[in-house]
Amino acid sequence: MIIDLTHPLKDNITVYPGIIKPRFEVGNTIEKDGFAELNMSMCTHTGTHIDAPSHIIKGAKSLDAFPVDKFIGRGIVIDCVKKKSIELDYLATYTDKINSIEFILFYTGWQNKWNTPNYFDPFPTLTTEAVQWLLKFKLKALGFDAISVDAMQEETLPNHHLLLPKEVL
């Protein structure tokens, strides 16, 4: 089964503070030009996206350098709605399930704040200890319904720097 979790791309969607909002304009129309074309301008971190190692590490892989099977596999959803942070003790209860999958989606309920000012309120993030523990598994990627794997105030992006060198997207 394939489940699409992407937010539709359009003008005026939530973007990381300081990033330009996407812009979509009609470039050509069938009536005028004989073909239809849309002009788009946006950052790569617009809407639902995947962080590549090259996002944080100079000279590291970009997404196009990975085989397509890096983006396909079995996964689980871990409910973190009532969590302020996602800690190792909680994740350890999922050890058997994590051993048999390649993707974890952390459900925090934050998608309900999409396109609201509250989307940038403090959201649950993984502790450093939890990230280091997760790196012991054969995970391809972690997914979140919030803006980042790191808290907004974490300017050094510690979780990015632990995950991306190990190519856990």
Side-chain angles (χ1 to χ4, degrees):
M1 173 178 16
I2 297 171
I3 301 170
D4 183 358
L5 301 173
T6 55
H7 289 289
L9 291 174
K10 58 186 177 181
D11 295 324
N12 296 318
I13 62 170
T14 300
V15 296
Y16 196 85
I19 300 297
I20 62 165
K21 287 197 176 269
R23 210 177 56 184
F24 303 92
E25 298 173 340
V26 174
N28 300 94
T29 65
I30 293 172
E31 296 78 17
K32 181 178 149 220
D33 306 298
F35 62 95
E37 203 163 58
L38 184 64
N39 295 329
M40 302 183 300
S41 174
M42 63 185 193
C43 295
T44 56
H45 281 76
T46 300
T48 309
H49 66 277
I50 301 171
D51 283 348
S54 62
H55 173 49
I56 296 295
I57 306 160
K58 186 175 177 85
K61 283 184 183 176
S62 56
L63 295 178
D64 62 326
F66 289 99
V68 73
D69 70 344
K70 178 72 170 176
F71 308 98
I72 301 167
R74 293 177 42 88
I76 61 169
V77 176
I78 297 180
D79 187 335
C80 300
V81 170
K82 296 181 180 178
K83 302 288 179 192
K84 290 191 191 248
S85 68
I86 306 167
E87 299 181 4
L88 173 55
D89 290 347
Y90 180 63
L91 292 182
T93 64
Y94 291 89
T95 300
D96 290 341
K97 289 182 179 182
I98 295 171
N99 269 321
S100 65
I101 53 92
E102 299 160 301
F103 295 88
I104 301 174
L105 298 176
F106 294 96
Y107 174 69
T108 66
W110 230 252
Q111 84 288 344
N112 295 323
K113 298 179 183 215
W114 178 253
N115 275 336
T116 74
N118 296 48
Y119 191 69
F120 299 105
D121 290 349
F123 48 85
T125 56
L126 293 162
T127 64
T128 300
E129 183 183 36
V131 172
Q132 290 169 333
W133 181 77
L134 286 170
L135 288 171
K136 296 176 184 177
F137 296 90
K138 294 181 181 176
L139 295 170
K140 294 179 179 180
L142 305 177
F144 299 86
D145 56 359
I147 191 87
S148 179
V149 67
D150 283 299
M152 294 292 291
Q153 70 275 11
E154 288 286 356
E155 293 180 14
T156 61
L157 305 174
N159 290 342
H160 280 80
H161 283 283
L162 288 169
L163 295 164
L164 293 176
K166 303 289 186 185
E167 296 185 352
V168 177
L169 309 179

